[in-house]
Amino acid sequence: MKINRLKALALASATSVAALVGSVANAVEIEYWQYFFDARVKAMEQLIENFEAANPDITVKMTHFPYADYRTKVAAAIPAGEGPDVVQLFYGWLNDYVQAELIQPLPADVFPAEKIDAEFFPMVQAMKDGDQYWALPTAVRSLALFYNERLLEEAGVEPPTTLDELMAAAAAMTKRDGAGNITQVGMTAGMTAQDHHWWREGLVRQMGGEPYADDYHTVNYNTEAGLKALEFYTNMFMGEDPVTAIGFMDEPQAAFKAGLAGMHIDGSFRIGALDKQRGLKWGVTELPATADGTRSNYSSYWVNAVTTKAEGEKYDAAVKFMDYVTSDEAMQIWLDVVGELPAKPSVGMTEANASNPVYGPFIRGLEYANTTKFADESGQRQLMVEMVERMQLEGMSAADSLAVAAEAEQKLLDEYYTK
């Protein structure tokens, strides 16, 4: 009797192993590509593990590349019928990917536009064309004001809540040597970092304007509001009592990490690097409002999309994977591991997340954030750099330099959208 039971158990075990082997052999394999960033890779490994456990007939192979090589690798692989079935891309690259036929629209039965419009933060609608979405994020980013707790305490000031308080706090934390050279900035500055986003979508709107019109096809900041925004910004380093200097320690984030900057505007993606900085005590608060309480913020994000390489059963598997990585569960995992913000209010605006002392200011900022639809982000950023340089190096007035920048950017947009 015991021998019969052992035979039965052995037969059942063999059958289970055979079924498992058969299941693995018949599994559909899809590829997922993203650029290399350690926390992002770890988060995606966890998402893939969860997805494969729930979908044993699908395996996901992840490949990642250094950021500098990423776009080139993607552009070469997909047209050759190789590479990813699901790909990560920066939201500002969407038009390029669509025009190059690297990605395909998401199926409306799984990703209905009205459902996405209702469930995601509004900025993701930049991924929509008509009634279809091309891509969706797992996480989004916004800006906030980082501050050095030690320098604030030393200067006897509190984290600012308004733009006027920002300037007063920055002045209190600025230090100079005997020759008058700034040795510690109260506030970082530099259009090459996040300031060009803060100026466009933050300050211009807070001064009563809109940076662009016609769905970001028309420059709209050569106005009184745009001039006020530029004068406020440049007054930080060109006013009678500068509180910062362009190029101080080369990069704004470097100055803050070194403990030589009182405040610094940056994205939520900076949290991980600051956590690793030994000896730096920092906090974070929402971007300062105007005196009447007007707030504005900028949001950016990386999205996932199904590539044109995905066909047949690989396409079906890719759609399933996309559905999971844009779920509430995936967004919470991404927040916990990477520190980037959930793309849905249902996850981001929970009591625990919205009130978190580190993530909370960024998450709350999403409610009043706007996303710039770039034609050429690096080119448009460079025009903002040059706008400031003309004032600093050539002595051009703010009004004249603003007009030159607006004309140059409009030409860039016209050429892009004409093509």
Side-chain angles (χ1 to χ4, degrees):
M1 198 76 166
K2 184 176 180 181
I3 294 175
N4 288 338
R5 281 200 302 271
L6 289 173
K7 285 182 177 180
L9 286 170
L11 179 61
S13 177
T15 302
S16 299
V17 170
L20 179 61
V21 170
S23 174
V24 172
N26 294 325
V28 178
E29 182 180 85
I30 59 173
E31 286 194 55
Y32 176 79
W33 281 19
Q34 66 172 337
Y35 77 91
F36 179 78
F37 185 76
D38 188 54
R40 283 171 163 263
V41 171
K42 289 179 180 176
M44 186 52 67
E45 286 174 343
Q46 188 171 336
L47 296 187
I48 289 173
E49 182 180 345
N50 293 352
F51 176 77
E52 290 180 339
N55 298 273
D57 57 334
I58 302 173
T59 60
V60 182
K61 175 186 175 184
M62 176 170 58
T63 301
H64 45 75
F65 300 96
Y67 181 83
D69 302 330
Y70 185 68
R71 291 192 72 178
T72 303
K73 295 283 189 182
V74 171
I78 296 173
E82 301 172 352
D85 300 287
V86 179
V87 66
Q88 184 188 82
L89 61 140
F90 187 62
Y91 86 93
W93 303 344
L94 181 71
N95 289 340
D96 294 338
Y97 274 59
V98 171
Q99 291 172 7
E101 298 183 351
L102 298 178
I103 61 175
Q104 52 187 312
L106 300 176
D109 58 335
V110 182
F111 301 96
E114 63 276 7
K115 186 171 185 286
I116 296 169
D117 290 347
E119 293 184 355
F120 282 73
F121 281 111
M123 74 282 295
V124 308
Q125 292 175 27
M127 299 298 97
K128 183 171 66 169
D129 182 17
D131 292 328
Q132 65 182 10
Y133 273 83
W134 285 87
L136 281 174
T138 299
V140 294
R141 301 166 170 178
S142 68
L143 301 177
L145 181 71
F146 290 91
Y147 54 86
N148 185 306
E149 293 181 350
R150 180 181 64 81
L151 299 186
L152 250 69
E153 183 178 352
E154 183 183 274
V157 292
E158 297 292 326
T161 60
T162 68
L163 292 173
D164 289 341
E165 290 176 1
L166 175 77
M167 292 300 293
M173 288 185 284
T174 302
K175 292 183 179 179
R176 294 173 172 80
D177 61 19
N181 300 308
I182 292 180
T183 58
Q184 176 179 293
V185 296
M187 174 77 180
T188 62
M191 286 288 192
T192 53
Q194 299 301 312
D195 285 5
H196 71 112
H197 298 308
W198 178 41
W199 181 80
R200 278 193 195 88
E201 299 291 3
L203 293 175
V204 171
R205 291 183 183 276
Q206 286 179 285
M207 301 303 172
E210 290 189 20
Y212 301 90
D214 303 326
D215 198 28
Y216 287 85
H217 289 206
T218 303
V219 173
N220 196 43
Y221 55 71
N222 188 18
T223 60
E224 182 179 351
L227 182 59
K228 285 182 180 178
L230 181 57
E231 288 176 338
F232 175 88
Y233 180 75
T234 55
N235 188 57
M236 293 196 302
F237 47 87
M238 294 180 65
E240 290 184 7
D241 296 302
V243 298
T244 189
I246 297 290
F248 183 78
M249 290 195 67
D250 295 330
E251 294 181 328
Q253 61 267 29
F256 188 78
K257 286 176 67 176
L260 294 175
M263 295 176 290
H264 171 60
I265 288 178
D266 213 332
S268 43
F269 49 83
R270 193 66 60 193
I271 292 170
L274 294 178
D275 274 341
K276 297 176 183 177
Q277 192 70 16
R278 294 181 62 183
L280 181 67
K281 293 183 63 178
W282 57 273
V284 64
T285 188
E286 290 177 68
L287 291 185
T290 58
D292 64 3
T294 301
R295 293 187 181 276
S296 189
N297 204 320
Y298 165 75
S299 176
S300 65
Y301 44 92
W302 285 75
V303 295
N304 292 306
V306 178
T307 72
T308 48
K309 177 214 169 192
E311 297 178 343
E313 61 182 5
K314 286 183 178 289
Y315 173 80
D316 295 337
V319 169
K320 276 189 176 182
F321 186 60
M322 275 286 302
D323 195 30
Y324 175 66
V325 297
T326 55
S327 67
D328 287 24
E329 177 184 301
M331 290 181 188
Q332 185 63 52
I333 290 171
W334 203 267
L335 173 64
D336 294 339
V337 177
V338 184
E340 292 182 332
L341 317 175
K344 293 180 180 178
S346 59
V347 186
M349 297 308 293
T350 63
E351 177 63 26
N353 287 337
S355 62
N356 184 285
V358 175
Y359 301 132
F362 294 99
I363 292 173
R364 295 193 297 274
L366 291 173
E367 293 192 297
Y368 48 84
N370 293 278
T371 297
T372 308
K373 293 184 181 180
F374 287 107
D376 175 1
E377 186 192 16
S378 61
Q380 289 172 263
R381 178 178 64 242
Q382 182 58 30
L383 293 176
M384 301 300 99
V385 173
E386 293 170 2
M387 178 174 67
V388 171
E389 286 180 343
R390 282 190 296 271
M391 295 175 62
Q392 279 194 297
L393 304 179
E394 302 174 23
M396 187 178 287
S397 70
D400 288 345
S401 193
L402 183 69
V404 172
E407 182 178 357
E409 187 167 6
Q410 188 61 61
K411 181 180 178 182
L412 182 154
L413 294 177
D414 290 343
E415 290 175 352
Y416 178 85
Y417 288 112
T418 296
K419 286 193 292 186

